[in-house]
Amino acid sequence: MSRPHLVVIPAVPDVVLARLRERADVTDVSSMPRAEWGAALADATGVLGGSGVPIDAAFLAQAPALRIVAMQSVGYDSVDLAALRERGVVLTNSRGSLTEAVADTAYWLVTAALRDYGRSMAWARDGRWLREGDAPYGHDLQGATLGIVGLGAIGAAVARRAQAGGMRVIYSNRHPRTDDAATGAAYRTFDQLLAEADCVVALVPLTPQTRRMFDAAAFARMKPTAYFVNAARGAVCDTAALLKALERKQIAGAALDVTDPEPLPPDHPLFAREDVLIVPHVGSATVETRTRMAMLAAENLLAFIDGKPLLTPVEV
Ligand code: DGY
Protein backbone atom coordinates (compact mmCIF):
# COMPACT_ATOMS: atom_id res chain seq x y z
CA MET A 1 0.00 0.00 0.00
CA SER A 2 1.41 3.43 -0.88
CA ARG A 3 2.42 5.70 1.96
CA PRO A 4 0.52 8.97 2.46
CA HIS A 5 2.28 12.13 1.31
CA LEU A 6 2.66 15.03 3.76
CA VAL A 7 3.87 18.54 2.97
CA VAL A 8 5.66 20.54 5.66
CA ILE A 9 5.52 24.31 5.10
CA PRO A 10 7.45 25.96 7.99
CA ALA A 11 11.02 24.99 8.87
CA VAL A 12 10.72 22.36 11.61
CA PRO A 13 13.40 20.48 13.55
CA ASP A 14 14.84 17.31 11.97
CA VAL A 15 13.40 15.24 14.80
CA VAL A 16 9.90 16.22 13.65
CA LEU A 17 10.61 15.36 9.99
CA ALA A 18 12.08 12.02 11.12
CA ARG A 19 8.95 11.27 13.16
CA LEU A 20 6.69 11.96 10.16
CA ARG A 21 8.90 9.87 7.86
CA GLU A 22 8.27 6.82 10.04
CA ARG A 23 4.76 6.69 8.57
CA ALA A 24 4.66 8.90 5.48
CA ASP A 25 6.50 10.36 2.53
CA VAL A 26 7.35 13.91 3.45
CA THR A 27 8.18 16.95 1.33
CA ASP A 28 9.71 19.84 3.25
CA VAL A 29 8.94 22.96 1.19
CA SER A 30 10.21 25.41 3.82
CA SER A 31 13.17 26.52 1.72
CA MET A 32 11.45 26.24 -1.68
CA PRO A 33 9.95 29.26 -3.47
CA ARG A 34 6.15 29.32 -3.07
CA ALA A 35 5.73 29.01 -6.86
CA GLU A 36 7.36 25.56 -6.76
CA TRP A 37 5.08 23.94 -4.16
CA GLY A 38 2.47 22.84 -6.72
CA ALA A 39 3.98 19.44 -7.51
CA ALA A 40 4.29 18.56 -3.82
CA LEU A 41 0.75 19.70 -2.99
CA ALA A 42 -0.82 17.87 -5.94
CA ASP A 43 -1.06 14.51 -4.11
CA ALA A 44 -0.66 15.64 -0.48
CA THR A 45 -2.96 14.03 2.10
CA GLY A 46 -1.84 16.36 4.88
CA VAL A 47 -0.13 19.68 5.37
CA LEU A 48 1.82 20.87 8.40
CA GLY A 49 1.14 24.62 8.29
CA GLY A 50 2.48 27.73 10.01
CA SER A 51 0.72 31.03 10.66
CA GLY A 52 2.72 32.89 7.95
CA VAL A 53 1.18 31.06 4.97
CA PRO A 54 -2.54 31.51 4.23
CA ILE A 55 -4.46 28.27 3.72
CA ASP A 56 -7.24 29.57 1.53
CA ALA A 57 -9.31 28.48 -1.45
CA ALA A 58 -6.40 29.11 -3.87
CA PHE A 59 -4.10 26.96 -1.71
CA LEU A 60 -6.70 24.18 -1.47
CA ALA A 61 -7.17 24.24 -5.25
CA GLN A 62 -3.54 23.18 -5.55
CA ALA A 63 -4.09 20.29 -3.14
CA PRO A 64 -7.07 18.26 -4.44
CA ALA A 65 -6.26 15.20 -2.25
CA LEU A 66 -5.83 17.18 0.98
CA ARG A 67 -7.70 15.85 4.01
CA ILE A 68 -6.00 17.47 7.02
CA VAL A 69 -4.23 20.72 7.87
CA ALA A 70 -2.24 20.57 11.13
CA MET A 71 -1.13 24.03 12.25
CA GLN A 72 1.98 24.45 14.33
CA SER A 73 0.40 27.55 15.88
CA VAL A 74 -2.40 28.14 18.31
CA GLY A 75 -3.84 30.86 16.06
CA TYR A 76 -5.54 29.78 12.84
CA ASP A 77 -6.69 33.12 11.51
CA SER A 78 -4.57 32.43 8.39
CA VAL A 79 -6.85 29.48 7.57
CA ASP A 80 -10.05 30.00 5.58
CA LEU A 81 -12.41 27.85 7.65
CA ALA A 82 -15.28 28.05 5.15
CA ALA A 83 -13.01 26.81 2.35
CA LEU A 84 -11.87 23.88 4.54
CA ARG A 85 -15.46 23.06 5.49
CA GLU A 86 -16.55 23.04 1.86
CA ARG A 87 -13.79 20.57 1.01
CA GLY A 88 -14.25 18.45 4.16
CA VAL A 89 -10.67 19.07 5.26
CA VAL A 90 -10.06 18.76 9.01
CA LEU A 91 -7.97 21.17 11.06
CA THR A 92 -5.84 20.97 14.19
CA ASN A 93 -3.84 23.62 16.04
CA SER A 94 -1.05 23.50 18.62
CA ARG A 95 -2.88 24.80 21.69
CA GLY A 96 -1.32 23.86 24.99
CA SER A 97 2.22 23.55 23.62
CA LEU A 98 3.17 27.24 23.77
CA THR A 99 1.20 28.67 26.70
CA GLU A 100 4.13 29.38 29.03
CA ALA A 101 6.51 30.72 26.35
CA VAL A 102 3.93 33.20 25.03
CA ALA A 103 3.00 34.19 28.60
CA ASP A 104 6.70 34.87 29.30
CA THR A 105 6.87 37.19 26.30
CA ALA A 106 3.59 38.93 27.09
CA TYR A 107 4.55 39.55 30.72
CA TRP A 108 8.03 40.72 29.70
CA LEU A 109 6.38 43.23 27.34
CA VAL A 110 4.15 44.42 30.21
CA THR A 111 7.25 44.87 32.36
CA ALA A 112 9.20 46.57 29.57
CA ALA A 113 6.32 48.96 28.87
CA LEU A 114 5.69 50.02 32.47
CA ARG A 115 9.41 50.32 33.24
CA ASP A 116 10.10 52.14 29.94
CA TYR A 117 12.95 49.74 29.11
CA GLY A 118 12.83 50.54 25.37
CA ARG A 119 13.73 54.17 26.03
CA SER A 120 16.34 53.15 28.65
CA MET A 121 18.08 50.85 26.17
CA ALA A 122 18.26 53.63 23.56
CA TRP A 123 19.47 56.04 26.28
CA ALA A 124 22.38 53.77 27.20
CA ARG A 125 23.27 52.95 23.60
CA ASP A 126 23.27 56.43 22.09
CA GLY A 127 25.35 58.18 24.78
CA ARG A 128 22.64 60.08 26.66
CA TRP A 129 23.63 58.09 29.76
CA LEU A 130 27.08 59.59 29.47
CA ARG A 131 25.95 63.12 28.54
CA GLU A 132 22.75 63.50 30.57
CA GLY A 133 22.88 60.89 33.36
CA ASP A 134 19.83 58.91 34.47
CA ALA A 135 17.21 57.82 31.95
CA PRO A 136 13.63 58.95 32.73
CA TYR A 137 12.01 56.73 35.38
CA GLY A 138 9.43 54.05 34.62
CA HIS A 139 6.65 52.86 36.92
CA ASP A 140 6.25 50.12 39.55
CA LEU A 141 4.46 46.97 38.52
CA GLN A 142 3.61 46.24 42.14
CA GLY A 143 0.22 47.76 42.85
CA ALA A 144 -0.47 48.58 39.19
CA THR A 145 -3.54 47.17 37.42
CA LEU A 146 -3.08 44.84 34.46
CA GLY A 147 -6.07 44.54 32.11
CA ILE A 148 -6.02 41.29 30.14
CA VAL A 149 -8.26 41.31 27.08
CA GLY A 150 -8.82 37.61 26.35
CA LEU A 151 -8.31 35.49 29.46
CA GLY A 152 -7.80 32.02 27.99
CA ALA A 153 -4.98 29.63 28.88
CA ILE A 154 -2.26 32.12 27.89
CA GLY A 155 -4.05 35.00 29.62
CA ALA A 156 -4.34 32.95 32.82
CA ALA A 157 -0.59 32.21 32.66
CA VAL A 158 0.10 35.95 32.27
CA ALA A 159 -2.22 36.67 35.20
CA ARG A 160 -0.22 34.27 37.41
CA ARG A 161 3.03 36.02 36.54
CA ALA A 162 1.52 39.47 37.12
CA GLN A 163 -0.02 38.48 40.46
CA ALA A 164 3.33 37.03 41.59
CA GLY A 165 4.80 40.47 40.83
CA GLY A 166 2.16 42.23 42.93
CA MET A 167 -0.11 43.45 40.12
CA ARG A 168 -3.90 43.59 40.39
CA VAL A 169 -5.43 41.76 37.45
CA ILE A 170 -8.72 42.48 35.70
CA TYR A 171 -9.89 40.91 32.45
CA SER A 172 -12.50 41.15 29.75
CA ASN A 173 -13.82 38.25 27.68
CA ARG A 174 -16.85 37.79 25.47
CA HIS A 175 -18.42 36.18 28.56
CA PRO A 176 -17.21 36.31 32.19
CA ARG A 177 -15.37 33.13 33.23
CA THR A 178 -16.89 31.05 36.01
CA ASP A 179 -13.57 30.64 37.84
CA ASP A 180 -12.62 34.19 38.87
CA ALA A 181 -11.70 32.86 42.32
CA ALA A 182 -9.19 30.47 40.72
CA THR A 183 -7.61 32.98 38.33
CA GLY A 184 -7.71 35.82 40.87
CA ALA A 185 -8.71 38.12 38.02
CA ALA A 186 -11.87 40.22 38.18
CA TYR A 187 -14.19 40.57 35.18
CA ARG A 188 -14.79 43.97 33.59
CA THR A 189 -16.51 44.97 30.37
CA PHE A 190 -14.05 45.95 27.65
CA ASP A 191 -14.79 49.66 28.16
CA GLN A 192 -14.46 49.41 31.96
CA LEU A 193 -11.15 47.59 31.59
CA LEU A 194 -9.77 50.21 29.19
CA ALA A 195 -10.64 52.99 31.63
CA GLU A 196 -9.20 51.24 34.69
CA ALA A 197 -6.01 49.43 33.62
CA ASP A 198 -2.49 50.84 33.91
CA CYS A 199 -1.46 48.39 31.22
CA VAL A 200 -3.81 46.73 28.73
CA VAL A 201 -2.58 43.49 27.15
CA ALA A 202 -4.30 42.03 24.09
CA LEU A 203 -4.44 38.22 24.04
CA VAL A 204 -7.59 37.60 22.00
CA PRO A 205 -7.62 35.41 18.89
CA LEU A 206 -8.07 37.31 15.63
CA THR A 207 -11.68 36.89 14.48
CA PRO A 208 -14.09 39.16 12.58
CA GLN A 209 -15.28 40.38 16.03
CA THR A 210 -11.81 41.22 17.38
CA ARG A 211 -10.28 42.68 14.19
CA ARG A 212 -9.27 46.30 14.98
CA MET A 213 -11.02 46.20 18.39
CA PHE A 214 -8.19 48.44 19.60
CA ASP A 215 -9.22 51.45 17.53
CA ALA A 216 -9.27 55.23 18.08
CA ALA A 217 -12.27 54.94 20.43
CA ALA A 218 -10.56 52.25 22.53
CA PHE A 219 -7.34 54.24 22.89
CA ALA A 220 -9.37 57.35 23.79
CA ARG A 221 -10.90 55.41 26.71
CA MET A 222 -7.51 54.47 28.15
CA LYS A 223 -5.78 56.57 30.80
CA PRO A 224 -3.07 58.89 29.43
CA THR A 225 -0.67 57.16 31.84
CA ALA A 226 -1.55 53.65 30.59
CA TYR A 227 0.37 51.33 28.24
CA PHE A 228 -0.83 49.05 25.44
CA VAL A 229 0.72 45.62 24.87
CA ASN A 230 -0.16 43.41 21.89
CA ALA A 231 0.81 39.73 22.15
CA ALA A 232 -2.19 38.49 20.11
CA ARG A 233 -2.30 39.32 16.40
CA GLY A 234 -1.30 42.61 14.78
CA ALA A 235 -4.71 43.09 13.20
CA VAL A 236 -6.59 43.27 16.53
CA CYS A 237 -5.12 46.77 16.65
CA ASP A 238 -5.64 49.64 14.20
CA THR A 239 -2.00 50.62 13.69
CA ALA A 240 -2.77 54.15 12.46
CA ALA A 241 -5.03 54.76 15.49
CA LEU A 242 -2.30 53.50 17.83
CA LEU A 243 0.24 55.85 16.27
CA LYS A 244 -2.17 58.77 16.57
CA ALA A 245 -2.96 57.94 20.22
CA LEU A 246 0.77 57.95 20.99
CA GLU A 247 1.37 61.20 19.10
CA ARG A 248 -1.52 62.85 20.97
CA LYS A 249 -0.28 61.37 24.27
CA GLN A 250 -3.65 59.69 24.81
CA ILE A 251 -1.65 56.71 26.07
CA ALA A 252 1.84 56.54 27.57
CA GLY A 253 3.44 53.90 25.36
CA ALA A 254 3.17 50.51 23.68
CA ALA A 255 5.04 47.22 23.51
CA LEU A 256 4.26 44.95 20.56
CA ASP A 257 5.11 41.36 19.70
CA VAL A 258 2.85 41.50 16.66
CA THR A 259 2.13 44.25 14.15
CA ASP A 260 -0.14 45.04 11.22
CA PRO A 261 1.33 44.82 8.65
CA GLU A 262 3.68 42.08 9.72
CA PRO A 263 6.60 42.40 9.35
CA LEU A 264 6.40 46.16 9.93
CA PRO A 265 8.65 48.01 7.40
CA PRO A 266 11.80 49.36 9.11
CA ASP A 267 10.93 52.95 8.14
CA HIS A 268 7.52 52.76 9.86
CA PRO A 269 7.01 55.72 12.26
CA LEU A 270 6.35 53.35 15.19
CA PHE A 271 10.00 52.23 15.01
CA ALA A 272 11.16 55.84 15.43
CA ARG A 273 9.34 56.26 18.74
CA GLU A 274 11.03 55.67 22.08
CA ASP A 275 7.69 55.08 23.76
CA VAL A 276 7.21 51.99 21.58
CA LEU A 277 9.08 48.71 21.90
CA ILE A 278 8.68 46.17 19.09
CA VAL A 279 9.86 42.57 18.85
CA PRO A 280 9.32 40.44 15.70
CA HIS A 281 6.52 37.99 16.70
CA VAL A 282 8.73 35.97 19.05
CA GLY A 283 6.01 35.05 21.56
CA SER A 284 6.54 31.29 21.19
CA ALA A 285 10.03 31.45 19.68
CA THR A 286 12.14 29.22 21.89
CA VAL A 287 13.90 26.09 20.69
CA GLU A 288 11.96 23.90 23.11
CA THR A 289 8.53 25.41 22.50
CA ARG A 290 8.82 25.55 18.71
CA THR A 291 9.91 21.90 18.71
CA ARG A 292 6.93 20.98 20.90
CA MET A 293 4.53 22.92 18.64
CA ALA A 294 5.84 21.24 15.47
CA MET A 295 5.81 17.81 17.12
CA LEU A 296 2.20 18.29 18.22
CA ALA A 297 1.25 19.17 14.64
CA ALA A 298 3.13 16.07 13.45
CA GLU A 299 1.37 13.84 15.99
CA ASN A 300 -1.99 15.18 14.80
CA LEU A 301 -1.07 14.24 11.21
CA LEU A 302 0.01 10.76 12.28
CA ALA A 303 -3.13 10.26 14.38
CA PHE A 304 -5.19 11.16 11.32
CA ILE A 305 -3.28 8.72 9.13
CA ASP A 306 -3.79 5.98 11.71
CA GLY A 307 -7.50 6.76 12.10
CA LYS A 308 -7.00 7.70 15.75
CA PRO A 309 -8.62 10.65 17.57
CA LEU A 310 -6.91 13.96 16.83
CA LEU A 311 -5.05 15.46 19.77
CA THR A 312 -6.07 19.10 19.31
CA PRO A 313 -8.87 19.33 16.75
CA VAL A 314 -10.40 22.64 15.75
CA GLU A 315 -14.02 22.89 14.75
CA VAL A 316 -14.31 24.20 11.18
C1 DGY B 1 0.66 31.16 17.48
O1 DGY B 1 0.88 29.98 17.78
O2 DGY B 1 -0.43 31.52 17.04
C2 DGY B 1 1.80 32.09 17.66
O3 DGY B 1 1.44 33.40 17.43
C3 DGY B 1 2.92 31.70 16.75
O4 DGY B 1 2.53 31.90 15.43
Side-chain angles (χ1 to χ4, degrees), residues 201-240:
V201 55
L203 284 167
V204 280
L206 177 62
T207 65
Q209 292 73 36
T210 63
R211 184 174 289 277
R212 306 248 161 107
M213 70 186 291
F214 293 93
D215 56 7
F219 292 122
R221 282 191 190 99
M222 286 173 61
K223 300 193 274 196
T225 51
Y227 296 82
F228 172 67
V229 169
N230 193 354
R233 283 288 185 267
V236 304
C237 171
D238 177 338
T239 305

Side-chain angles (χ1 to χ4, degrees), residues 148-308:
I148 298 178
V149 180
L151 191 75
I154 296 172
V158 174
R160 281 200 308 277
R161 285 158 175 74
Q163 286 152 351
M167 295 188 87
R168 232 181 107 238
V169 181
I170 57 177
Y171 76 98
S172 77
N173 270 3
R174 257 181 319 166
H175 306 292
R177 291 176 58 130
T178 51
D179 59 351
D180 286 2
T183 62
Y187 176 77
R188 298 286 188 274
T189 65
F190 182 51
D191 285 356
Q192 285 167 342
L193 178 143
L194 293 172
E196 191 176 336
D198 298 304
C199 182
V200 174
V201 55
L203 284 167
V204 280
L206 177 62
T207 65
Q209 292 73 36
T210 63
R211 184 174 289 277
R212 306 248 161 107
M213 70 186 291
F214 293 93
D215 56 7
F219 292 122
R221 282 191 190 99
M222 286 173 61
K223 300 193 274 196
T225 51
Y227 296 82
F228 172 67
V229 169
N230 193 354
R233 283 288 185 267
V236 304
C237 171
D238 177 338
T239 305
L242 171 62
L243 182 62
K244 209 160 266 172
L246 291 160
E247 285 167 350
R248 292 179 177 161
K249 298 201 182 309
Q250 283 177 310
I251 63 170
L256 311 172
D257 181 42
V258 288
T259 59
D260 182 27
E262 191 168 304
L264 201 62
D267 60 353
H268 193 279
L270 280 178
F271 276 122
R273 300 189 65 87
E274 284 194 352
D275 52 3
V276 178
L277 187 150
I278 300 173
V279 288
H281 202 151
V282 294
S284 63
T286 70
V287 174
E288 299 80 6
T289 294
R290 283 287 167 89
T291 303
R292 221 171 19 247
M293 292 162 72
M295 194 57 98
L296 178 54
E299 292 300 345
N300 272 305
L301 290 169
L302 296 180
F304 182 83
I305 288 170
D306 289 339
K308 293 187 181 151

Side-chain angles (χ1 to χ4, degrees), residues 23-203:
R23 299 278 294 106
D25 293 333
V26 177
T27 306
D28 172 2
V29 298
S30 61
S31 55
M32 281 168 53
R34 177 75 185 79
E36 290 171 21
W37 295 359
L41 289 175
D43 68 343
T45 304
V47 158
L48 194 157
S51 60
V53 173
I55 309 277
D56 52 15
F59 181 97
L60 294 180
Q62 285 191 289
L66 194 68
R67 298 182 54 209
I68 175 167
V69 173
M71 296 295 289
Q72 71 143 4
S73 60
V74 66
Y76 47 87
D77 46 280
S78 57
V79 179
D80 181 338
L81 298 183
L84 248 57
R85 205 178 309 129
E86 195 168 310
R87 277 276 308 275
V89 175
V90 301
L91 176 67
T92 64
N93 72 352
S94 69
R95 62 183 176 275
S97 62
L98 67 167
T99 306
E100 301 302 326
V102 177
D104 285 341
T105 301
Y107 185 57
W108 173 76
L109 290 171
V110 169
T111 307
L114 277 157
R115 294 295 303 270
D116 214 359
Y117 286 146
R119 191 191 316 272
S120 293
M121 286 163 71
W123 196 271
R125 201 169 35 234
D126 69 17
R128 276 177 287 174
W129 190 14
L130 196 67
R131 291 192 306 275
E132 300 176 38
D134 284 355
Y137 299 152
H139 298 280
D140 283 344
L141 278 82
Q142 182 159 34
T145 298
L146 178 64
I148 298 178
V149 180
L151 191 75
I154 296 172
V158 174
R160 281 200 308 277
R161 285 158 175 74
Q163 286 152 351
M167 295 188 87
R168 232 181 107 238
V169 181
I170 57 177
Y171 76 98
S172 77
N173 270 3
R174 257 181 319 166
H175 306 292
R177 291 176 58 130
T178 51
D179 59 351
D180 286 2
T183 62
Y187 176 77
R188 298 286 188 274
T189 65
F190 182 51
D191 285 356
Q192 285 167 342
L193 178 143
L194 293 172
E196 191 176 336
D198 298 304
C199 182
V200 174
V201 55
L203 284 167

